[in-house]
Amino acid sequence: MSVAGKTAVITGSNSGIGLGIAREMAKAGVNVVLNSYTDRDEDHALAAEISKTFNVNAKYISADMSKGDECRRLITDAGGCDILINNAGIQHVAGIEEFPAGKWDAIIAINMSSAFHTMAAAVPGMRAKGWGRIVNIASAHGLTASPYKSAYVAAKHGVVGMTKVVALETAQEPITCNAICPGYVLTPLVEEQIPDTMKEYDMSREDVVKNVLLKRQPSKEFATVEQMGGTALFLCSDAAAQITGTTISVDGGWTAL
Ligand code: NAD
């Protein structure tokens, strides 16, 4: 079965990996719902541009993924979805003793709890239609840890665990739930942590990229947003119908070390 004509809701998709996945999905004929909490003219323009370029229905729905009721409203306002990509995420880098409690709460809410709410809202519609694909964008940090990222690592491990639970709850239905675990992808989220990491390690930008960010990525290359989109599309294909409750690492060998 082709994914063309299906509808995908992609949380946090006006930038980076989410936008890359939205474009790859649209290229494959999937109707896409873009999301962020910003509600700017350019967010709506992005949806219009994708719609025009790929000849699919594309719309932008503003909803704040730090709030459970907004996560659920996103699914309702989208009119349900066949494909749910939980991608919204933020990062903060600090040692445990200085880690601001507000940042902890925000990261747990946006990076982890949002997936609980959107999945809870989307699964009944998938069950009714008899088809569904859930792809949670976790991280290599859902499988391993790094210093200074307590909230992010906790949230991403939580997403991997929740992915397995939803897969088991839907195992006997034509619904799958998996997580993609990217290594480093050069997006605004990664760009923003370079200055803090430069300070933390007293290093130049070039050294942070080479010796900190890509230190654990044996390929020594960033993964791309297009590769994330391609992996998500594979998980939506018939070939992946028996792949559920697992993780696919797209990390240049990071988790093989
Ligand atoms: P990004 O900063 O480019 O994109 C984050 C997206 O989340 C944006 O669209 C932003 O609008 C959205 N977002 C943030 N807070 C939101 C909120 N409260 N409500 C709704 N949307 C919100 O970052 P990215 O690198 O593309 O990250 C996307 C996902 O991929 C995140 O979950 C991140 O943890 C994960 N990831 C990224 C990398 C990487 O190297 N870039 C690696 C592993 C995992």
Side-chain angles (χ1 to χ4, degrees):
M1 193 203 295
S2 156
V3 289
K6 303 278 190 202
T7 297
V9 170
I10 304 139
T11 72
S13 45
N14 66 346
S15 160
I17 293 173
L19 180 56
I21 292 175
R23 286 191 183 284
E24 292 303 305
M25 290 267 160
K27 207 187 281 180
V30 176
N31 300 314
V32 293
V33 174
L34 302 185
N35 155 260
S36 71
Y37 63 93
T38 43
D39 207 8
R40 301 164 306 181
D41 287 347
E42 52 260 51
D43 297 323
H44 295 270
L46 205 48
E49 181 260 309
I50 287 176
S51 180
K52 197 169 160 217
T53 306
F54 301 107
N55 198 23
V56 295
N57 292 326
K59 61 179 168 185
Y60 170 84
I61 299 177
S62 177
D64 184 348
M65 293 299 104
S66 70
K67 301 188 169 87
D69 54 346
E70 297 248 323
C71 298
R72 290 170 189 259
R73 179 184 57 76
L74 169 64
I75 303 301
T76 314
D77 285 1
C81 58
D82 308 296
I83 298 167
L84 171 63
I85 314 278
N86 284 307
N87 169 78
I90 59 168
Q91 176 61 288
H92 187 78
V93 180
I96 190 78
E97 66 275 47
E98 289 118 36
F99 209 96
K103 286 281 181 198
W104 168 274
D105 289 342
I107 291 174
I108 295 298
I110 297 167
N111 296 23
M112 186 182 77
S113 302
S114 68
F116 160 69
H117 294 292
T118 56
M119 290 194 289
V123 164
M126 292 177 175
R127 286 202 160 118
K129 283 192 192 168
W131 195 89
R133 293 286 180 271
I134 301 170
V135 180
N136 295 323
I137 306 304
S139 169
H141 283 120
L143 304 169
T144 64
S146 294
Y148 312 118
K149 295 185 177 177
S150 51
Y152 189 85
V153 169
K156 294 299 186 179
H157 275 70
V159 166
V160 169
M162 200 174 6
T163 299
K164 295 177 190 176
V165 172
V166 174
L168 292 177
E169 291 182 10
T170 56
Q172 294 184 16
E173 297 164 89
I175 298 171
T176 68
C177 181
N178 293 290
I180 297 178
C181 292
Y184 275 104
V185 186
L186 196 56
T187 65
L189 179 140
V190 170
E191 279 291 346
E192 276 162 25
Q193 53 187 293
I194 292 176
D196 283 347
T197 315
M198 283 167 68
K199 237 187 283 163
E200 200 77 54
Y201 290 96
D202 193 21
M203 278 181 179
S204 68
R205 180 191 159 87
E206 199 191 6
D207 282 345
V208 164
V209 169
K210 207 171 114 206
N211 299 323
V212 181
L213 298 185
L214 296 181
K215 183 178 177 206
R216 292 171 72 183
Q217 200 144 308
S219 65
K220 299 295 167 204
E221 279 181 35
F222 286 108
T224 67
V225 300
E226 291 79 12
Q227 289 161 353
M228 299 307 144
T231 307
L233 272 172
F234 164 67
L235 287 171
C236 295
S237 72
D238 275 349
Q242 283 298 315
I243 299 178
T244 194
T246 194
T247 57
I248 296 193
S249 291
V250 187
D251 66 2
W254 176 331
T255 44
L257 278 174

